[in-house]
């Protein structure tokens, strides 16, 4: 089955610096890769996603890159702010039946942005 | 638009007792997911419904866990009897459809502590 690894497990950066979180997956059939942000006491919230036919996607300060050959994808946050502090999860889709999907999540990265 | 609702938010029980969690997905969302999130880990899928039918329950410990979505809207997840290792946050999520790259929306979760 699908296995998703995520590094680093913790990351501390100074406000204004960039943060990069990397994930690898094992199932070559995975074709959708969402990233979630989870704040304390809340459920995960989708922040950006990428499909397998795209190599890069950007939304303001957040970008995601995908290398299908190497089976890895990364989250990039630029100009970090204290409110970016949270736990970030990557996920990879797995096919269910002929058209359905669900997801395998990475173990998470705790990002701390220091003022 | 109202989000995914879950109750209770917190529950403390003793081992071997029973517990039930309730989820109300976003209106109109056909797909509903229950996840278990152990402290320091990513969410792990327990069961996935499409309307009132089960799509995937391969990771549900069926000797003690059960779930239903009788009318294709609300869902309940039950644990009977609970074990210490069931201590976790139970997250409910919903998406519009099963197919394609549909965004999952998560509820705030129910934090369960088994003593």
């Amino acid at each position: 089955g699908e296995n998703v690894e995520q590094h680093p497990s913790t990351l501390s950066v100074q406000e204004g610096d960039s943060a990069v979180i990397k994930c690898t997956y094992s199932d070559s059939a995975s074709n959708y890769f969402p990233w979630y942000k989870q704040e304390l006491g809340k459920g995960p919230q989708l922040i950006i996603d990428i499909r397998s036919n795209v190599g890069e996607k950007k939304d303001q300060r957040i970008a995601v890159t995908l290398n299908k050959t190497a089976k890895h994808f990364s989250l990039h946050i630029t100009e970090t702010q204290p409110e970016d502090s949270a736990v970030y999860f990557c996920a990879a889709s797995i096919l269910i039946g002929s058209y359905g999907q669900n997801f395998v999540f990475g173990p998470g990265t705790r990002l701390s942005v220091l003022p | 638009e109202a989000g995914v609702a879950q109750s209770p938010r917190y529950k403390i029980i003793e081992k071997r007792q029973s517990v039930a969690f309730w989820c109300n997905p976003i209106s109109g969302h056909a797909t509903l997911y229950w996840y278990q999130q152990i402290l320091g880990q990513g969410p792990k899928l327990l069961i996935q419904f499409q309307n009132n039918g089960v799509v995937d329950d391969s990771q549900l410990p069926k000797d003690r866990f059960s779930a239903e979505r009788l009318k294709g809207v609300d869902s309940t997840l039950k644990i009977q009897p609970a074990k210490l290792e069931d201590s976790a946050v139970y997250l409910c999520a919903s998406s519009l459809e099963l197919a394609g790259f549909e965004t999952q929306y998560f509820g705030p979760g129910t934090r369960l502590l088994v003593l």
Side-chain angles (χ1 to χ4, degrees), chain A residues 31-32 34 36 38 40-46 49 51-52 89 93-94 96 99-108, chain B residues 9-10 33 35 37 40-45 48 50 55-56 91 98-109 111:
Chain A
N31 61 4
Y32 175 58
Y36 291 87
Q38 187 173 28
L40 195 61
K42 298 183 178 180
Q45 181 180 18
L46 179 73
D49 56 14
R51 304 181 186 187
S52 60
F89 294 98
S93 65
I94 49 176
I96 302 298
Y99 67 95
Q101 66 176 8
N102 56 40
F103 301 92
V104 175
F105 283 76
Chain B
R9 291 297 311 277
Y10 306 93
Y33 310 78
Y35 289 90
Q37 186 176 26
Q41 298 182 19
K44 185 185 86 171
L45 181 70
Q48 179 182 5
Q50 174 72 359
V55 175
D56 183 7
L91 294 164
L98 177 65
F101 308 104
E102 293 291 343
T103 299
Q104 286 187 88
Y105 297 88
F106 283 84
R111 187 175 298 274

Side-chain angles (χ1 to χ4, degrees), chain B residues 5-79:
Chain B
Q6 290 188 248
S7 67
R9 291 297 311 277
Y10 306 93
K11 190 75 176 178
I12 300 174
I13 62 173
E14 295 187 350
K15 61 183 179 182
R16 291 187 288 274
Q17 285 188 324
S18 301
V19 65
F21 313 126
W22 173 81
C23 172
N24 182 239
I26 293 173
S27 177
H29 279 197
T31 308
L32 185 146
Y33 310 78
W34 281 103
Y35 289 90
Q36 180 192 59
Q37 186 176 26
I38 293 172
L39 188 64
Q41 298 182 19
K44 185 185 86 171
L45 181 70
L46 293 175
I47 189 167
Q48 179 182 5
F49 292 95
Q50 174 72 359
N51 296 311
N52 61 350
V54 175
V55 175
D56 183 7
D57 63 356
S58 58
Q59 298 190 86
L60 186 74
K62 298 181 185 65
D63 58 333
R64 297 185 300 107
F65 286 65
S66 63
E68 60 183 13
R69 193 184 184 200
L70 292 176
K71 297 183 179 179
V73 181
D74 294 6
S75 177
T76 56
L77 176 70
K78 297 179 182 178
I79 307 175

